[in-house]
Amino acid sequence: MEISQIRKEIDRIDSEILSLFVKRMELGGAIGELKAAQHLPIENLEREREILLKITRDSGTELQSCARILFSTLFELNKSFQRRKSAGHGEFSRKIADSLANTAQLFPATAKVGCCGVPGAYAQLAADRFFQLADITYFNDFGAVFQAVEKKLCRYGVLPIENSTSGTIDQVYDLMLDHKFHIVRSCRLQVKHALLLPSGTDISQIREVISHEQGLKQCAGFLKKLGDVKCSTAGSTAMAAKIVASSGRNDVAAIASPECAGIYNLSIAADNIQDRDSNYTRFICIAREPEIYPGASKISIMGTLPHKPGALYRLLARFAVLGVNLTKLESRPRRNGSFEYMFYFDFEASLVDPEIRLLLAELVSDGGKFSFLGNYSEI
């Protein structure tokens, strides 16, 4: 046979496959509706196993692996189709519809906001990016900011989530597992560190440098040039500046923002001391309930995946089919000691898109394996 004849035969077979695929999905959807009415689980691993064994026997030695991949994918598509039919009418879809309908058209100009640290902290500078005039309450640690939002002591909280030099803020990611919150906005803030000294002190006198652990990491190269100095951590860079200002010592310095010099009456011994000029920290603004403002184009979710070959691939394939661009994929071990991992995804999409809404409804409704963290804009 000529290539053209073979291709013509392939086209005919493809048409038959498509017709049979549509029929199979429709029948699977009908089974899904019956299962939902009888409160039965969608997944039936024993039946899948029986079918795969039969397929393995009947497909011949050369095509066994290909046939298993084909039918395993078919099972996943069918289960996904069944979940989406029910998820589209579930609690998540109703909650998102309410948020889209009831969120104001403009992000608020002022609000009560929780930040970690003291005046001059980078979280405060980020809050000033989010709001024209924020009424800020300062807390000692990140967990307290989450709790303030969760208990409605503050409408919003501002938290760092990652840095372009030192990477993920591990503590914030860990706290995400323990609290009820939603991301409503994010920003990238250029971080410019300065070495701050008590007035009248010379840099040659310095024997100890205090900062947040991230600030110390981001200025590691500069600290090496100082020689044999002790590095101590504080709850935030601004807290380090406050400690230095009240210490009464002339041999201690802080790494903090230049703005802290004016707030705490310190002098700037060296400016722009971070290892990289392109030193940015990404901050998120969180609220207790979802607030989806017009123009929101980034979505964040987190959840677990089953310990099965190809589980992550199949999830990523579903995003790829919708043309969704993943901008972040982070995995972290859960703290229950069972070697399970939590996955965190950022991707470019909007819940205005019904296909995206159905996909997320399916993921969130699938036994609680995933949590929706927010649909928001990044400024």
Side-chain angles (χ1 to χ4, degrees), residues 204-233:
S204 62
Q205 299 174 262
I206 300 304
R207 296 294 175 266
E208 182 180 5
V209 176
I210 305 174
S211 189
H212 187 270
E213 60 179 348
Q214 294 289 328
L216 295 173
K217 287 181 183 178
Q218 293 161 21
C219 300
F222 177 83
L223 289 170
K224 285 182 180 179
K225 296 176 183 177
L226 291 182
D228 187 20
V229 297
K230 177 184 177 182
C231 293
S232 302
T233 60

Side-chain angles (χ1 to χ4, degrees), residues 63 106 193 276 374:
L63 294 176
L106 295 176
H193 291 306
R276 298 180 184 175

